[in-house]
Amino acid sequence: MKSIRVASNYVDALLARRIARAHGWLRTGGRIRERVFQLARRRYRTTDEEIGTFYWPEHIDSATEPPFRAPADEDSVRAADEISLSELASLARIIINQGTEGEAVYYAMARKLGLQQLRASSRMRLKQALHSAGYL
């Protein structure tokens, strides 16, 4: 299971939408969203970031940096703000350890994420990850 981002105005929308779609439901009403949010908060360890909350499965040790999970296909591409800073920091370490430097780090990270373009918001998120990894 991967970490799942849930931001305050988006609160449980992403998580609830994924669960609803997995069950074949087309709509995700307020009661479903609220119930999913309550259950997830009780069941999973969370980390709160500026952009939202990430839920972690029990087998992920909170003391270690989670590995970066590359998208398997186009359908599994995640936006930079749907990935925790700790997972993005793992990606940054991989890219930098391969000898990539300077501006090229951002573009290499974006390619690994499966992003078609490196937009300003994604670049800022990647910069935050580089900072949290101790590279900036």
Side-chain angles (χ1 to χ4, degrees), residues 91-102:
L91 173 59
R93 288 183 208 293
I94 292 167
I95 297 297
I96 290 170
N97 287 338
Q98 292 172 344
T100 309
E101 298 177 341

Side-chain angles (χ1 to χ4, degrees), residues 7-96:
S8 41
N9 65 356
Y10 191 76
V11 173
D12 37 351
L14 177 61
L15 178 62
R17 194 169 47 246
R18 286 181 181 177
I19 290 171
R21 297 311 170 269
H23 289 281
W25 303 330
L26 298 177
R27 297 186 55 173
T28 311
R31 285 187 290 180
I32 291 172
R33 285 192 309 270
E34 184 58 35
R35 185 68 175 147
V36 165
F37 185 65
Q38 288 172 353
L39 292 172
R41 277 275 181 195
R42 274 191 249 149
R43 175 91 165 83
Y44 297 103
R45 183 178 59 84
T46 62
T47 53
D48 293 314
E49 294 182 13
E50 179 181 297
I51 62 165
T53 301
F54 290 85
Y55 293 86
W56 299 94
E58 294 168 350
H59 71 277
I60 299 287
D61 181 5
S62 61
T64 61
E65 191 174 83
F68 170 68
R69 293 165 296 113
D73 54 35
E74 277 187 26
D75 292 334
S76 61
V77 170
R78 297 174 288 160
D81 67 350
E82 291 180 354
I83 304 172
S84 71
L85 284 176
S86 57
E87 187 176 345
L88 288 172
S90 291
L91 173 59
R93 288 183 208 293
I94 292 167
I95 297 297
I96 290 170

Side-chain angles (χ1 to χ4, degrees), residues 118-136:
L118 181 57
R119 298 177 193 250
S121 60
S122 295
R123 182 184 177 82
M124 180 59 78
R125 184 78 174 152
L126 298 180
K127 185 175 183 177
Q128 289 174 324
L130 286 163
H131 187 288
S132 74
Y135 293 112
L136 295 180

